[in-house]
Amino acid sequence: MLCHAILVAAGSGSRAGGSVPKQYVEIGGKSVLARAYDALRAHPAVGEIVVAIGKGQEELAARALGADRPARIVEGGATRRESVAAGMAALPDGDVVLVHDAARPFLPASVFDRLLSALAQADGAVPVLPVADTLVTAGDALGEVVDRDGLRRVQTPQGFRLAVLRAAHEGWTGPEPTDDAQMARAAGFNVFTIAGDPRLDKITAPADFALAEGRLNRITRTGLGYDVHAFAEGDHVWMGGVKVPHSHSLAGHSDADVALHALTDALLGAIGDGDIGAHFPPSDPQWKGASSDRFLIHARDLVRRSGGRIDHVDVTIICEAPKVRPHADAMRSRIGELLELPLNRVSIKATTTEGLGFTGRREGIAAQAIATVSSWEE
Ligand code: CTP
Ligand code: MG
């Protein structure tokens, strides 16, 4: 079943307030839109994702989606219905389409599975949840109780056969609808209900941001790095991004900065993304003599792209000479600059090995690093 998705993000979020529409607001360091997008993307059944955004929101959307979320961006309309229609016009051919509100940041995979299996038999399928509170008609005064047993609240994503969604939109003559399922049903199609999920609740009012944030857990990961380079002829070494005069240099394909190499590996370790050799193979001539700054910046960007934040890094340089201490402050500032971290989140230490081992024999320099990275996850 070839399945594409339309993510509607063209609303103004008037009920949620704030200076930007709710879908562009970050919760736990990631925009509501990006979270909805990632949840769709994560499902293997989903092919193309079309995102309908409001006129003039190109920059907001690009910033909220970041560089790694390929989407067909289309201009939505003045109503949700028009935004879905704009998305539909940009959809590639397929069997099934999921229409999802960008204002719903969390989408459990189990809901997807239930939708897709319902769509094997139905024209459309929607997630619904029972209503927990007592329901009444009311103005200023309390009116009649409405029996809640037969009532459900309807969520998205809503799934339809592509031809069904097109026909439902073309045939609609009623007042402005709040979702697509009501149009499909009005057009005579059979729309199944499947069990929804409270995590799918839409951000509508200002207080909903805090509720959504409350669903996230702070996950802390640490990564360890270790590197060694041997001394060779020369008159300086690179250590922690700083050029230090010395009786020897360090041999290596790049500038052989052991401290930055260990730190790069620590960052990669914290996000489980291989090691420095996998990202910058020594066999690749473009890294010959390369400044290790680039390796570290690359790892920093990978951490950010994974949704992580670098909390702290700590490096230990192990050698008899050159003396590290006189340069430690400079290294600390340089690393802080490269990682865009304040000094109190960067630590540089040094030790000798009391004359023992290869560092003790002054054959080379070793470095160890540890990085702490946190992210907010479901
Ligand atoms: N939506 C849209 N185009 C519109 C109106 C709404 O794409 N013209 C999208 C919203 O961005 C949201 C979803 O439809 O992802 C559900 O709509 P709603 O919760 O009503 O969002 P807003 O219309 O943005 O909010 P409000 O009604 O409070 O202004
Ligand atoms: Mg609205």
Short mmCIF file of all heavy atoms in Angstrom, two decimals, residues 7-16 21-23 52 76-81 83-84 100-104 178 202-204, ligand 1:
data_model
loop_
_atom_site.label_atom_id
_atom_site.label_comp_id
_atom_site.label_asym_id
_atom_site.label_seq_id
_atom_site.Cartn_x
_atom_site.Cartn_y
_atom_site.Cartn_z
N LEU A 7 0.63 17.12 5.97
CA LEU A 7 0.74 17.69 7.31
C LEU A 7 0.23 19.12 7.20
O LEU A 7 0.83 19.96 6.51
CB LEU A 7 2.22 17.65 7.71
CG LEU A 7 2.64 17.81 9.16
CD1 LEU A 7 1.83 16.94 10.11
CD2 LEU A 7 4.12 17.48 9.28
N VAL A 8 -0.90 19.42 7.84
CA VAL A 8 -1.44 20.77 7.71
C VAL A 8 -0.91 21.67 8.82
O VAL A 8 -1.10 21.42 10.00
CB VAL A 8 -2.99 20.80 7.66
CG1 VAL A 8 -3.49 20.43 6.29
CG2 VAL A 8 -3.62 19.94 8.72
N ALA A 9 -0.21 22.71 8.39
CA ALA A 9 0.48 23.61 9.32
C ALA A 9 0.26 25.06 8.92
O ALA A 9 1.13 25.90 9.12
CB ALA A 9 1.98 23.28 9.34
N ALA A 10 -0.90 25.35 8.33
CA ALA A 10 -1.11 26.70 7.80
C ALA A 10 -1.99 27.55 8.71
O ALA A 10 -2.36 28.66 8.34
CB ALA A 10 -1.70 26.62 6.40
N GLY A 11 -2.32 27.05 9.88
CA GLY A 11 -3.19 27.80 10.77
C GLY A 11 -2.45 28.92 11.48
O GLY A 11 -1.22 28.96 11.49
N SER A 12 -3.20 29.81 12.09
CA SER A 12 -2.57 30.94 12.79
C SER A 12 -2.45 30.68 14.29
O SER A 12 -1.83 31.45 15.01
CB SER A 12 -3.38 32.21 12.55
OG SER A 12 -4.71 31.99 12.99
N GLY A 13 -3.06 29.59 14.76
CA GLY A 13 -2.94 29.25 16.17
C GLY A 13 -3.47 30.33 17.09
O GLY A 13 -2.88 30.60 18.14
N SER A 14 -4.59 30.94 16.72
CA SER A 14 -5.07 32.10 17.48
C SER A 14 -5.43 31.74 18.92
O SER A 14 -5.16 32.52 19.83
CB SER A 14 -6.26 32.74 16.77
OG SER A 14 -7.26 31.78 16.54
N ARG A 15 -5.98 30.54 19.15
CA ARG A 15 -6.36 30.19 20.52
C ARG A 15 -5.15 29.93 21.41
O ARG A 15 -5.21 30.08 22.62
CB ARG A 15 -7.29 28.96 20.51
CG ARG A 15 -8.70 29.28 20.05
CD ARG A 15 -9.49 28.02 19.81
NE ARG A 15 -9.00 27.28 18.63
CZ ARG A 15 -9.44 26.08 18.26
NH1 ARG A 15 -10.36 25.47 18.98
NH2 ARG A 15 -8.96 25.50 17.18
N ALA A 16 -4.03 29.50 20.80
CA ALA A 16 -2.83 29.21 21.59
C ALA A 16 -2.05 30.49 21.93
O ALA A 16 -1.23 30.48 22.84
CB ALA A 16 -1.92 28.24 20.84
N PRO A 21 2.77 31.13 15.28
CA PRO A 21 1.78 30.07 15.35
C PRO A 21 2.32 28.83 16.08
O PRO A 21 3.50 28.50 15.97
CB PRO A 21 1.50 29.77 13.88
CG PRO A 21 1.83 31.04 13.16
CD PRO A 21 2.98 31.63 13.92
N LYS A 22 1.43 28.15 16.80
CA LYS A 22 1.81 27.07 17.72
C LYS A 22 2.68 25.99 17.09
O LYS A 22 3.53 25.40 17.75
CB LYS A 22 0.54 26.45 18.31
CG LYS A 22 -0.43 25.89 17.24
CD LYS A 22 -1.79 25.57 17.83
CE LYS A 22 -2.75 25.08 16.76
NZ LYS A 22 -4.12 24.89 17.28
N GLN A 23 2.49 25.72 15.78
CA GLN A 23 3.24 24.62 15.16
C GLN A 23 4.74 24.93 15.06
O GLN A 23 5.55 24.03 14.88
CB GLN A 23 2.66 24.26 13.78
CG GLN A 23 2.63 25.36 12.75
CD GLN A 23 1.36 26.21 12.84
OE1 GLN A 23 0.75 26.32 13.89
NE2 GLN A 23 0.95 26.80 11.72
N ALA A 52 1.63 21.76 4.34
CA ALA A 52 0.94 23.00 3.94
C ALA A 52 1.20 24.05 5.00
O ALA A 52 0.88 23.84 6.18
CB ALA A 52 -0.55 22.74 3.78
N GLY A 76 -0.82 26.77 2.11
CA GLY A 76 -2.16 26.35 2.52
C GLY A 76 -3.18 27.44 2.23
O GLY A 76 -2.89 28.42 1.55
N GLY A 77 -4.37 27.26 2.78
CA GLY A 77 -5.43 28.22 2.52
C GLY A 77 -5.93 28.88 3.79
O GLY A 77 -5.35 28.72 4.86
N ALA A 78 -7.04 29.60 3.66
CA ALA A 78 -7.60 30.33 4.78
C ALA A 78 -8.31 29.41 5.77
O ALA A 78 -8.54 29.78 6.91
CB ALA A 78 -8.57 31.39 4.27
N THR A 79 -8.67 28.21 5.32
CA THR A 79 -9.31 27.25 6.21
C THR A 79 -8.53 25.94 6.17
O THR A 79 -7.75 25.70 5.24
CB THR A 79 -10.75 26.94 5.77
OG1 THR A 79 -10.69 26.29 4.48
CG2 THR A 79 -11.59 28.20 5.67
N ARG A 80 -8.75 25.11 7.18
CA ARG A 80 -8.06 23.82 7.21
C ARG A 80 -8.40 23.02 5.96
O ARG A 80 -7.54 22.37 5.36
CB ARG A 80 -8.46 23.05 8.48
CG ARG A 80 -7.68 21.75 8.67
CD ARG A 80 -8.20 20.96 9.85
NE ARG A 80 -7.43 19.74 10.09
CZ ARG A 80 -7.53 18.64 9.37
NH1 ARG A 80 -8.37 18.59 8.33
NH2 ARG A 80 -6.80 17.58 9.65
N ARG A 81 -9.69 23.08 5.55
CA ARG A 81 -10.11 22.34 4.36
C ARG A 81 -9.29 22.75 3.14
O ARG A 81 -8.80 21.90 2.38
CB ARG A 81 -11.61 22.61 4.10
CG ARG A 81 -12.19 21.95 2.85
CD ARG A 81 -13.66 22.32 2.66
NE ARG A 81 -13.85 23.77 2.62
CZ ARG A 81 -13.65 24.54 1.54
NH1 ARG A 81 -13.29 24.01 0.40
NH2 ARG A 81 -13.82 25.85 1.61
N SER A 83 -6.35 24.09 3.14
CA SER A 83 -4.95 23.68 3.32
C SER A 83 -4.78 22.21 2.93
O SER A 83 -3.80 21.83 2.29
CB SER A 83 -4.50 23.90 4.77
OG SER A 83 -4.55 25.28 5.07
N VAL A 84 -5.74 21.37 3.33
CA VAL A 84 -5.68 19.95 2.94
C VAL A 84 -5.76 19.84 1.43
O VAL A 84 -5.01 19.09 0.80
CB VAL A 84 -6.81 19.14 3.61
CG1 VAL A 84 -6.83 17.70 3.08
CG2 VAL A 84 -6.66 19.14 5.13
N HIS A 100 -2.77 14.84 8.61
CA HIS A 100 -2.40 14.99 10.02
C HIS A 100 -2.22 16.47 10.38
O HIS A 100 -1.67 17.25 9.60
CB HIS A 100 -1.10 14.22 10.27
CG HIS A 100 -0.72 14.12 11.71
ND1 HIS A 100 -1.63 13.86 12.72
CD2 HIS A 100 0.49 14.23 12.33
CE1 HIS A 100 -1.00 13.82 13.89
NE2 HIS A 100 0.28 14.05 13.67
N ASP A 101 -2.68 16.84 11.58
CA ASP A 101 -2.51 18.20 12.08
C ASP A 101 -1.08 18.38 12.59
O ASP A 101 -0.62 17.62 13.44
CB ASP A 101 -3.44 18.46 13.28
CG ASP A 101 -4.90 18.51 12.90
OD1 ASP A 101 -5.20 18.78 11.71
OD2 ASP A 101 -5.76 18.26 13.78
N ALA A 102 -0.41 19.43 12.12
CA ALA A 102 0.94 19.73 12.62
C ALA A 102 0.91 20.09 14.09
O ALA A 102 1.93 20.06 14.77
CB ALA A 102 1.56 20.86 11.82
N ALA A 103 -0.27 20.45 14.60
CA ALA A 103 -0.39 20.86 16.00
C ALA A 103 -0.45 19.67 16.95
O ALA A 103 -0.68 19.84 18.15
CB ALA A 103 -1.62 21.74 16.16
N ARG A 104 -0.25 18.46 16.43
CA ARG A 104 -0.23 17.25 17.28
C ARG A 104 1.18 16.69 17.25
O ARG A 104 1.54 15.95 16.33
CB ARG A 104 -1.23 16.21 16.78
CG ARG A 104 -2.67 16.73 16.76
CD ARG A 104 -3.64 15.65 16.27
NE ARG A 104 -4.92 16.24 15.91
CZ ARG A 104 -5.98 16.28 16.73
NH1 ARG A 104 -5.91 15.77 17.93
NH2 ARG A 104 -7.11 16.86 16.33
N THR A 178 -14.23 20.76 10.33
CA THR A 178 -13.02 20.81 11.15
C THR A 178 -12.10 19.63 10.87
O THR A 178 -10.99 19.58 11.39
CB THR A 178 -13.39 20.82 12.65
OG1 THR A 178 -14.35 19.78 12.87
CG2 THR A 178 -13.99 22.15 13.05
N LYS A 202 -4.22 17.51 20.52
CA LYS A 202 -3.79 18.68 19.77
C LYS A 202 -3.42 19.80 20.72
O LYS A 202 -4.05 19.98 21.77
CB LYS A 202 -4.94 19.12 18.85
CG LYS A 202 -4.62 20.28 17.93
CD LYS A 202 -5.60 20.35 16.77
CE LYS A 202 -7.02 20.64 17.20
NZ LYS A 202 -7.21 22.03 17.63
N ILE A 203 -2.41 20.57 20.35
CA ILE A 203 -2.11 21.80 21.08
C ILE A 203 -3.09 22.85 20.58
O ILE A 203 -3.13 23.17 19.39
CB ILE A 203 -0.65 22.24 20.86
CG1 ILE A 203 0.27 21.25 21.57
CG2 ILE A 203 -0.43 23.66 21.36
CD1 ILE A 203 1.73 21.51 21.42
N THR A 204 -3.93 23.31 21.48
CA THR A 204 -4.94 24.30 21.10
C THR A 204 -4.83 25.55 21.97
O THR A 204 -4.75 26.66 21.44
CB THR A 204 -6.36 23.70 21.24
OG1 THR A 204 -6.43 22.51 20.46
CG2 THR A 204 -7.42 24.69 20.74
N1 CTP B 1 -4.72 24.55 9.66
C1 CTP B 1 -4.29 24.77 8.38
N2 CTP B 1 -4.84 25.79 7.64
C2 CTP B 1 -5.77 26.58 8.17
C3 CTP B 1 -6.23 26.36 9.48
C4 CTP B 1 -5.69 25.32 10.21
O1 CTP B 1 -3.42 24.07 7.89
N3 CTP B 1 -6.25 27.56 7.44
C5 CTP B 1 -4.09 23.48 10.45
C6 CTP B 1 -3.42 24.01 11.71
O2 CTP B 1 -2.11 24.52 11.41
C7 CTP B 1 -3.42 22.83 12.62
C8 CTP B 1 -4.63 22.02 12.16
O3 CTP B 1 -5.03 22.57 10.92
O4 CTP B 1 -2.25 22.04 12.47
C9 CTP B 1 -5.75 22.03 13.18
O5 CTP B 1 -6.30 23.32 13.26
P1 CTP B 1 -6.42 24.21 14.59
O6 CTP B 1 -6.07 23.42 15.78
O7 CTP B 1 -7.72 24.90 14.54
O8 CTP B 1 -5.21 25.25 14.37
P2 CTP B 1 -5.28 26.80 14.09
O9 CTP B 1 -6.36 27.10 13.12
O10 CTP B 1 -3.91 27.21 13.72
O11 CTP B 1 -5.62 27.39 15.53
P3 CTP B 1 -6.81 28.36 15.93
O12 CTP B 1 -8.08 27.74 15.41
O13 CTP B 1 -6.75 28.46 17.40
O14 CTP B 1 -6.51 29.68 15.24
#
